[in-house]
Amino acid sequence: MIASLNQIFNVLTEPAGSLLYHLILVFSLAGALQAAFVHWRTSQFPQARRTLFGLGLLLIAQVASFLLTGAGSQGIINLSLILPPLDRALTLFSLLWMIWLWCFPEPSRAADAAIGLLSVLLIAGFALTLAAYAQSGGFAAFNTTIFDGIWQLASIAVAVFGLFLLGVRRPNGWGYGLAVFLLAFAGHLLHMTVGRFDGSYPGAVRMTYMGAFPILMSLPPR
């Protein structure tokens, strides 16, 4: 059973599987963003504008990752050194902003300030991880390093916090958000328990996020 799961996870970390994973995330965000834009143009609701902003930020992050990969294929940067920490940082960044999208559809200065501060701290965490991984030589499979464990535990904590906030606030469409954070929690937990084989990308996390991101298209019509 575990061997079969690891084979599936491994497929999602290979070039073809990795491309499929990123395409699903980008097209899910693009579809949700288009629906949010149409809703905002017809209604001018501040909730629609907030949704448009959050989804746009997530899409920009994914596109930036694509561009970085393209630069690495030209030999401009060392992909094997930069992409594994960036993958973890983008995943946690996405989780944080999905909490903001689902739990705070109404304008909230406290929530906006908190998500801004956490995003800055996340960028600092990425920079520290990248520096430490580079100092270690960057030769070890990232999945087997302590850096991966820290990022996974942080993502699990954020997913649990998202579930807690949804249960307390229960905004419109909160059931869809519940599904997203349950999938995220399951993916990170699965990676920590059975998926940390040799490699640099978390196949279990990618598998569950491929199911979670299409649910973002439920945000605009709520």
Side-chain angles (χ1 to χ4, degrees):
M1 178 67 176
I2 293 178
S4 299
L5 281 174
N6 282 337
Q7 288 179 350
I8 296 173
F9 300 157
N10 191 44
V11 168
L12 294 175
T13 63
E14 294 173 352
S18 183
L19 177 61
L20 176 63
Y21 164 74
H22 287 293
L23 286 176
I24 288 176
L25 265 57
V26 167
F27 279 112
S28 297
L29 288 168
L33 188 65
Q34 182 182 23
F37 179 75
V38 171
H39 184 53
W40 175 70
R41 286 290 300 271
T42 56
S43 68
Q44 297 295 315
F45 287 158
Q47 297 92 334
R49 186 169 62 249
R50 286 172 68 83
T51 301
L52 194 64
F53 176 78
L55 290 172
L57 200 60
L58 291 177
L59 182 59
I60 289 171
Q62 291 298 327
V63 171
S65 177
F66 266 124
L67 294 177
L68 195 64
T69 302
S73 65
Q74 300 299 317
I76 300 174
I77 58 174
N78 186 350
L79 284 182
S80 62
L81 184 66
I82 295 177
L83 282 187
L86 181 64
D87 179 84
R88 274 59 170 192
L90 280 179
T91 299
L92 186 52
F93 179 83
S94 298
L95 267 179
L96 286 171
W97 280 92
M98 284 192 287
I99 289 177
W100 183 83
L101 280 165
W102 249 291
C103 297
F104 302 98
E106 306 291 339
S108 170
R109 289 185 179 181
D112 296 349
I115 192 66
L117 176 60
L118 289 172
S119 296
V120 171
L121 292 175
L122 188 150
I123 293 171
F126 163 68
L128 289 173
T129 302
L130 183 59
Y133 187 50
Q135 190 174 20
S136 70
F139 300 116
F142 198 83
N143 284 353
T144 62
T145 65
I146 190 174
F147 312 121
D148 176 69
I150 292 172
W151 282 100
Q152 299 302 330
L153 290 175
S155 296
I156 288 173
V158 170
V160 170
F161 182 63
L163 290 168
F164 170 75
L165 272 182
L166 277 174
V168 171
R169 296 181 61 84
R170 298 195 177 188
N172 291 338
W174 72 282
Y176 293 106
L178 193 70
V180 168
F181 294 120
L182 281 173
L183 282 169
F185 172 78
H188 292 291
L189 185 63
L190 197 59
H191 174 70
M192 286 294 290
T193 53
V194 301
R196 295 188 74 188
F197 52 86
D198 287 344
S200 292
Y201 301 99
V205 174
R206 290 186 168 191
M207 182 180 69
T208 56
Y209 275 63
M210 285 170 66
F213 264 69
I215 303 176
L216 288 170
M217 287 186 279
S218 68
L219 277 170
R222 68 176 177 170

